Amino acid sequence: MTFIQSIAELEAKLSEPSEQLISEMASIEGDIIVLGVGGKMGPSLAKLAVHALRRSGARNRVIGVSRFSNEETRRDLEAAGIETISCDLLDDRQLQQLPDAPNIIYMAGNKFGTTGNENFTWAMNAYLPGRVAEKYRNSRIVVFSSGNVYPFSPPGLGGVTESCSPEPKGEYAQSCLGRERVFEYFSKLNNMPMVIFRLNYAIDLRYGVLLEIAKSVLNDRPIRLEMGHANVIWQGDANEMALRCLALCESPPRTINCTGPETMSIRWAAEEMGKRLGKEALFEGTESDTALLSNAGQSFQLFGYPRVSLLQMIDWVAEWVRAGGYTLNKPTHFQERKGKF
Ligand SMILES: NC(=O)c1ccc[n+]([C@@H]2O[C@H](COP(=O)([O-])OP(=O)(O)OC[C@H]3O[C@@H](n4cnc5c(N)ncnc54)[C@H](OP(=O)(O)O)[C@@H]3O)[C@@H](O)[C@H]2O)c1
């Protein structure tokens, strides 16, 4: 079995384009701007885009925009061939100075720390989209959103599809729906092609639901089971699908759920981690009748199944944690049932 042993190997794996992405990127016209590139997913998405474009022979630029609170992220992106612009998108003067481009991937947002600072989350997630939609009225936009806009559903139903009416719980999820609605408004007003990309939960080895489960198992910490099921997808696959959405943007916006094909039992995942780590998983509470679950069937029909399977992710994460691999201190709080982040 081959494991991922270093951050360099992980980054290379995350930014390895599929043949389909390479051929689709060949027909993308113009530059791609990634707004909010500096987070967990943006750097590998931007690198994936550059690799796919270069392998297709295209010279389109990929421009990453963020505040770059982490200067190292900026250097790393520049070294990988991504042009970077430091910008606080909430500062309208800075926003208006950004270059134009026909293709926008919108990844900026705020989740953690919402409780107690709700006004900021609303400004980021629901006000800023309007400013960005006005600035980029001649562009197509893939809008990262969240499966958190959906109501909880029984695990036996296999998750909710895009036709389910949103029922966001708590102000973070409500503000995510605000982001979607504001983009949708401008899409209709100005005939802007868009995809609303509802994601839950991307993972890599440094963060995510599987990492949190593995760390608990390794450290003999009980895992709460009230949120007894979840969906996960390899970050590389989620980013691939997001880039391929550029070709599917339309007005009014098309909505696409993005996650893995399994309704994953948290208990099962912890036991699988336990087998790999030589530990017994400990639990607290029992599974509720419902969980936050999406059905991403439409995305598999459009793009095919993810290239990295759930058991492959579990193998990789378990080994990463066993070897003491580097992790970001950014928990998902996937167990939260009241929507307070
Ligand atoms: N990861 C997941 O599993 C998941 C699940 C559901 C939805 N999503 C959504 O998908 C998107 C990307 O995910 P992610 O995990 O990469 O999110 P993330 O880690 O929160 O990254 C978003 C980045 O946007 C940048 N940003 C925030 N405010 C900004 C501002 N005012 N001006 C410029 N840049 C700003 C920040 O980088 P700087 O500090 O450098 O500015 C931040 O790191 C997010 O919108 C997230 O809500 C992600």
Side-chain angles (χ1 to χ4, degrees), residues 38 154 168 172 190 217 335:
Y172 162 68
N190 294 325
V217 173
Q335 286 144 322

Side-chain angles (χ1 to χ4, degrees), residues 228-283:
H229 297 79
N231 307 120
V232 295
I233 183 166
W234 180 245
Q235 186 185 293
D237 285 311
N239 281 341
E240 267 253 347
M241 293 183 192
L243 288 170
R244 293 180 66 189
C245 281
L246 281 171
L248 298 175
C249 289
E250 59 192 29
S251 172
R254 178 171 191 160
T255 300
I256 298 181
N257 286 349
C258 176
T259 194
E262 294 92 353
T263 295
M264 180 182 78
S265 149
I266 300 298
R267 185 189 293 273
W268 170 84
E271 284 168 352
E272 288 297 316
M273 288 295 179
K275 286 183 207 163
R276 287 157 181 77
L277 294 168
K279 289 274 189 173
E280 191 179 336
L282 306 175
F283 299 105

